[in-house]
Amino acid sequence: PVVVTSKDKKSATTYSIKIYRSPDGTTAKGVCSHLDSLIVEKGALIPSFSKTHFLYTVQVDEDVTSTTVTPFACAGAQALVRGELISEWRASRPQPLFPGPNIVAVHVLTSDGSRVTYTVVVTRKLKQPTIASSTDSILRMLSLSCGPLRPPFEPDHLVYQVHVPMYSA
């Protein structure tokens, strides 16, 4: 319900709105307003495509920098991806993918002017930092700000002394 209250709060009117979703994907005027199919070039839609489901996710590897989508609009409808009208059996232009989530909206436009949007969230994995594996555990240099090492540093020498004043930090 939508409740409209007067400024003085002495009266209120409640409106009820009933929304009917056509199970066959048509508008109230009987015009087709859905996709029959949606294909993503890289990755797989989760969940699998259904014309009555409007939000999907796709996971791609970190090296995937773009993908295309191929929407198949029902008869009499048109599909748009980022402003590009997609002809039947054609893929969209490559959609850039940045690390993390990327939204690709597919709009279905009907002859009666209504619009339905299918949203695909394509998540490109973040590049994991690499740590070079090495068996090298030898210091290349060692110095202290409070005094010289004795003996002077040598990578293969493991025990040193340093002399500092008694009340040094």
Side-chain angles (χ1 to χ4, degrees):
V2 176
V3 179
V4 179
T5 306
S6 64
K7 280 187 174 184
D8 64 3
K9 304 206 189 291
K10 292 183 180 179
S11 66
T13 303
T14 301
Y15 297 86
S16 294
I17 301 169
K18 291 184 179 179
I19 299 173
Y20 296 95
R21 182 182 300 271
S22 172
D24 64 355
T26 60
T27 65
K29 297 179 185 175
V31 176
C32 176
S33 63
H34 66 268
L35 291 178
D36 286 328
S37 178
L38 180 60
I39 299 169
V40 178
E41 174 193 26
K42 307 282 172 79
L45 291 175
I46 299 171
S48 296
F49 181 78
S50 166
K51 67 183 179 182
T52 58
H53 190 85
F54 301 97
L55 178 63
Y56 298 91
T57 61
V58 174
Q59 300 284 330
V60 296
D61 289 331
E62 64 187 43
D63 60 335
V64 176
T65 59
S66 68
T67 191
T68 62
V69 295
T70 306
F72 295 92
C74 59
Q78 297 178 316
L80 274 88
V81 176
R82 292 199 177 148
E84 175 191 10
L85 181 63
I86 307 299
S87 302
E88 197 168 321
W89 299 102
R90 299 277 182 164
S92 69
R93 289 187 296 255
Q95 304 299 307
L97 299 176
F98 300 97
N102 299 265
I103 296 178
V104 179
V106 179
H107 302 287
V108 179
L109 306 176
T110 66
S111 60
D112 72 354
S114 61
R115 175 186 293 225
V116 173
T117 301
Y118 291 81
T119 303
V120 181
V121 180
V122 182
T123 302
R124 179 177 162 196
K125 291 181 183 174
L126 300 174
K127 186 169 184 134
Q128 297 298 317
T130 56
I131 299 172
S133 63
S134 173
T135 58
D136 184 2
S137 60
I138 304 294
L139 282 176
R140 304 277 181 251
M141 182 177 85
L142 178 62
S143 64
L144 301 173
S145 61
C146 59
L149 292 173
R150 292 197 185 138
F153 178 75
E154 290 290 330
D156 58 347
H157 189 82
L158 303 177
V159 179
Y160 296 91
Q161 292 181 0
V162 65
H163 294 275
V164 296
M166 179 180 265
Y167 299 106
S168 145

